[in-house]
Amino acid sequence: MAVINLKNRQIECKLVYYGPGRSGKTANLEYINKNFSKQVAGKMISIDTEGDRTLFFDFLPIGLGKIRGCDVRVQLYTVPGQVKYRATRELVLRGADGIIFVADSLAVRREKNMMSLKDLHENLKKMGLDIRRIPLSLQYNKRDLENTGLPIMSIEKMEKELNRQLKVQSFPTSALTGEGVGKTLTHTIKLILAHLQKEFKWADGS
Amino acid sequence: MDLISKIKLDFKEAELYRSQGLLDEAIDKYTAIEALIKANSNIRQRKSLLAKIASRIDELNKKMKRISAPTPPPKVSEDAQTLMKEMFTYDDPEAKGSSSLGGAIALAKFGQYDKAIEELTRLLEYESLRVEAAKNLLSCWIQQNYVEYAVSLFQKWKKTRFFPPEELAIVLGHFQEVLAAAGVTREIAGVELQKTIEPDSEINDEDILDISATKFSLPGGPRKGERVEFEVSFQSGKYIQIIIPKKEKDLINGLNPGNMLKDIIFYSPAAIFSGTGFLSSKKAIEAGPKRGDYSFSIKIIDIKS
Ligand SMILES: Nc1nc2c(ncn2[C@@H]2O[C@H](COP(=O)(O)OP(=O)(O)OP(=O)(O)O)[C@@H](O)[C@H]2O)c(=O)[nH]1
Ligand SMILES: [Mg+2]
């Protein structure tokens, strides 16, 4: 839930990276932390277990400076993707203003992607939110593995299986090389700000 | 593709899964390669390949076991704890102080029990928060297996009359639930609720129609005096039951056993009549889909028209 302070002209919103275990959510944040140092507004906090699996969440605050007269800050979070951490996912998702769903392009993770999307859908519903209404983008991650001979799903196939009904913007990405990481982030933040504008009319000249 | 190239590519795949922590997938792939090699006796270095695969599978199995073993949640840094708390500062901005309760509960959910207990203990001082704080405090101790301590804490509250009887009953109800969920059978000396003496009803059970809804002024709480309508979920003679969802805190707090509902209206499919009702019990529902909601039973004392 965004905190909007019209008097100080500040907006703080929450963007959550969601997706199955090992799909690259933490890697997204790590890439942003390393490569967008101008925007990074604080220390990245990761709480993980052995083998780098996220246990509770990762957190990275970024600042975008002034946008239409308002100082915009975004808190990035990742959820733990492992199925058994359902309760924690729900907790971290609470109050999200937008979501980036990180799907794994590895063919062996096909079903996990779909299950995780369903889990997102259900968790949002529990909070009285509609997956078709909340600012959302999709990432088809690990595209750097394309053309290596390894079993990677085609974009078309992923689009059909994950995005046929949602019809949101999707991005082929690699959280390792950084391809598409910034693009997904910028696009989703734009969605969030537009959504908040409709609700709160925060921007100048409106 | 010839057999050797296939094995090489399969190996690459298995190694990728292994490096990405996709343990199940890696084991499956290694097992498939193993079967393939075993079925082909003319592969060079067959023995050493099989040995390598076996050791990989073994290593992966061990890792799986380590990861799936239940471990207590680690204590995280102060920064992270502060963050956990602040993640929930938007909880229910209406109710003052509830954000700090939300934060404390979040700490507990993340397994940061020490910090959560510290916060919850502080919140016990606030009248509007103390029941929730107490409930969560007991949960924190039980989750860490300090059953005796939790029981003694509860008994202290009871002995010092820290909570009014109504509230103590709610805390007790929750406590019993938590103990049951943790599989602990432990007698907690029950609480004697101050028994309210119910006024007699003038009417016979047979004379009462089926009642589908009722309406009355709230006898207390922040919305005191407001007329509210409720669906009747169950009726047994002159007792009707209504259920109020947990989020309707104002309504729940405004209704307590002993309340006389002087202007109550009863709706039945055939007629509407007014009368007097007596709120005879209030219970938090402990299980099922309505868990956390409250059920109230109202005794029909008289009917005027
Ligand atoms: N090749 C490749 N590997 C990736 C990419 N993104 C992540 N990985 C690797 O995939 C593994 C899992 O990445 P994480 O970012 O930890 O995954 P996660 O989604 O945070 O996983 P959980 O915390 O368990 O939910 C790591 O070994 C990463 O290096 C990518 O775009 N390309
Ligand atoms: Mg992670």
Side-chain angles (χ1 to χ4, degrees), chain B residues 123-178:
Chain B
L123 296 173
L124 276 179
E125 299 304 316
Y126 299 88
E127 204 176 301
S128 61
L129 302 177
R130 65 185 175 207
V131 170
E132 285 307 307
K135 280 160 68 174
N136 284 286
L137 207 46
L138 293 171
S139 300
C140 280
W141 289 114
I142 298 298
Q143 260 144 38
Q144 298 176 93
N145 262 325
Y146 293 120
V147 176
E148 289 315 308
Y149 186 80
V151 171
S152 72
L153 190 60
F154 179 80
Q155 279 167 347
K156 190 181 99 190
W157 289 332
K158 188 184 163 198
K159 211 165 136 199
T160 59
R161 292 171 200 270
F162 185 77
F163 293 103
E166 268 302 312
E167 290 185 4
L168 190 69
I170 296 173
V171 175
L172 174 65
H174 172 82
F175 193 22
Q176 284 164 334
E177 205 174 283
V178 176

Side-chain angles (χ1 to χ4, degrees), chain B residues 235-274:
Chain B
Q235 178 179 9
S236 162
K238 49 180 157 301
Y239 286 91
I240 55 174
Q241 184 195 49
I242 59 174
I243 291 178
I244 303 183
K246 54 180 165 290
K247 60 173 195 288
E248 299 279 2
K249 292 211 177 66
D250 286 352
L251 300 182
I252 292 169
N253 293 336
L255 283 170
N256 287 298
N259 289 150
M260 270 296 196
L261 310 168
K262 293 223 168 79
D263 57 354
I264 192 165
I265 291 176
F266 304 104
Y267 298 89
S268 84
I272 300 176
F273 40 91
S274 67

Side-chain angles (χ1 to χ4, degrees), chain B residues 25 132 154 195 227 256 304:
Chain B
E25 287 83 353
E132 285 307 307
F154 179 80
K195 276 248 158 49
R227 290 185 69 75
N256 287 298
K304 290 194 191 82

Side-chain angles (χ1 to χ4, degrees), chain A residues 22 25-26 52-54 58 78-80:
Chain A
R22 316 274 76 207
K25 301 174 290 296
T26 299
D52 305 328
R53 287 166 165 71
T54 300
D58 304 295
T78 73
V79 299

